[in-house]
Amino acid sequence: MSAVLAILLWLILILLVILAGVLLTPVKLRLHLRSSPSLKFRIEASAFGGVTPRVCILDSTRRRKHDEKKPKKKKTKARSKRSFAGGTRLVAAIPRLFSDILGAFHVDYLNVDAEFGLLDPADTGHVYGCLTPFLYGTPLPAKVVVSLRPDFSRACFAGELDASLHITPAALFPPAVRLAWRAFGPSK
């Protein structure tokens, strides 16, 4: 009986170590987006800092199974309008949650290659002139490459984005705790 208990405890310990490894090591995400001739995107993830093989999370080129449309049942029960006191505080805390989550992502590399044009060549030049200080006036990190070309002859938008990011899953816990505190914690 004690041997079974020892084996069970060792299995639990191994599972906890694996779970800690998953939560404390970075997950690498690779994004690829292409806008022409049609919009296509692919998102892949690799655990343990990119050591494991990439797993496709989203792929726009895969065929989706269209489920048969089932007739909707009519609701006979009237909806009760329930609200809770923290509803407005929760909505107010959502923008901060997004900024906290975006701060947890780290860019490994980012390549943007795009061509755009508007109906009026003057508008194309104006937009390109407004974007130029951001593209060439500010120093971009070496891991960020942006190539933007105006097309004065026609209205178009064609581009490609290739990025690699990493995030440590444990870094998402503090933003979640802050959201809960802002929404449901004591009011000021």
Side-chain angles (χ1 to χ4, degrees), residues 147-159:
S147 174
L148 185 63
R149 296 175 307 281
D151 186 348
F152 296 102
S153 62
R154 62 188 170 103
C156 66
F157 181 78

Side-chain angles (χ1 to χ4, degrees), residues 118-128 152:
L118 301 172
L119 291 173
D120 186 3
D123 291 337
T124 302
H126 180 76
V127 170
Y128 185 67
F152 296 102

Side-chain angles (χ1 to χ4, degrees), residues 46-118:
S46 178
F48 296 108
V51 175
T52 62
R54 286 189 214 150
V55 175
C56 182
I57 297 173
L58 284 172
D59 190 358
S60 65
T61 58
R62 283 191 197 165
R63 291 187 162 209
R64 294 180 182 93
K65 295 180 181 177
H66 295 288
D67 297 333
E68 296 178 14
K69 293 184 179 179
K70 298 177 183 176
K72 293 182 180 178
K73 296 181 182 179
K74 293 184 181 180
K75 294 182 180 180
T76 57
K77 189 176 182 181
R79 258 188 180 174
S80 65
K81 293 186 178 181
R82 288 184 266 170
S83 65
F84 58 97
T88 56
R89 291 174 51 193
L90 178 65
V91 171
I94 296 282
R96 180 68 190 261
L97 173 71
F98 285 128
S99 67
D100 288 347
I101 288 176
L102 284 177
F105 283 91
H106 302 282
V107 177
D108 294 330
Y109 69 86
L110 173 68
N111 295 328
V112 178
D113 183 23
E115 178 180 15
F116 77 98
L118 301 172

